[in-house]
Amino acid sequence: VHVVESGGDSVQPGGSLRLSCVVSGITLNNYCLGWFRQAPGKEREGVASINNDGETDYAHSVQGRFSISQDSAKKTVYLQMNSLKPEDSAMYYCAADQGPGASWNCDTRYDEHDSWGQGTQVTVSS
């Protein structure tokens, strides 16, 4: 499985960004796709997740502001980020895992993904 993120940028507080992640090579019907972020000096944090059934989960810190979605035809998962705050600044990573266990356990705490992207930088600053 190959994962490539894009869409990171520098924006002002209150702004919006949409991150994209193209996922190729998933061969099973069950999978989990997740967005994670890591700021300098901080631990990696699960931000949002979605599985093959479209079930989603969000970190408390982003609920109501971020939205994860997928376009199966384009093999792409998106992270729409609104009302961005300086504390949202981080490197954002997309990750993929497949199999019944991945789908069943798919939430922001699940971090056993086999495939990770290189990351895309999001900076929120005035």
Side-chain angles (χ1 to χ4, degrees):
V1 177
H2 192 53
V3 177
V4 180
E5 313 96 332
S6 63
D9 205 345
S10 295
V11 296
Q12 292 187 342
S16 298
L17 279 176
R18 188 177 79 159
L19 305 183
S20 299
C21 173
V22 178
V23 183
S24 58
I26 287 184
T27 59
L28 303 180
N29 292 328
N30 300 306
Y31 58 81
C32 176
L33 305 175
W35 284 100
F36 295 78
R37 66 186 181 187
Q38 188 167 22
K42 294 188 176 181
E43 292 187 355
R44 186 175 66 197
E45 173 190 22
V47 176
S49 65
I50 189 168
N51 68 3
N52 50 285
D53 288 327
E55 298 170 327
T56 60
D57 188 44
Y58 297 92
H60 179 74
S61 59
V62 306
Q63 279 184 341
R65 301 188 298 121
F66 290 13
S67 178
I68 188 171
S69 61
Q70 60 184 331
D71 184 331
S72 298
K74 296 182 179 179
K75 299 181 180 179
T76 301
V77 59
Y78 303 98
L79 184 66
Q80 178 66 44
M81 305 186 295
N82 300 325
S83 301
L84 283 162
K85 305 175 181 180
E87 51 263 42
D88 293 319
S89 298
M91 186 70 78
Y92 282 71
Y93 298 91
C94 180
D97 197 20
Q98 56 182 335
S103 179
W104 181 260
N105 294 302
C106 191
D107 59 27
T108 55
R109 296 166 297 175
Y110 183 77
D111 64 354
E112 298 179 19
H113 301 73
D114 288 336
S115 302
W116 293 79
Q118 294 298 308
T120 186
Q121 180 69 41
V122 172
T123 302
V124 185
S125 174
S126 55

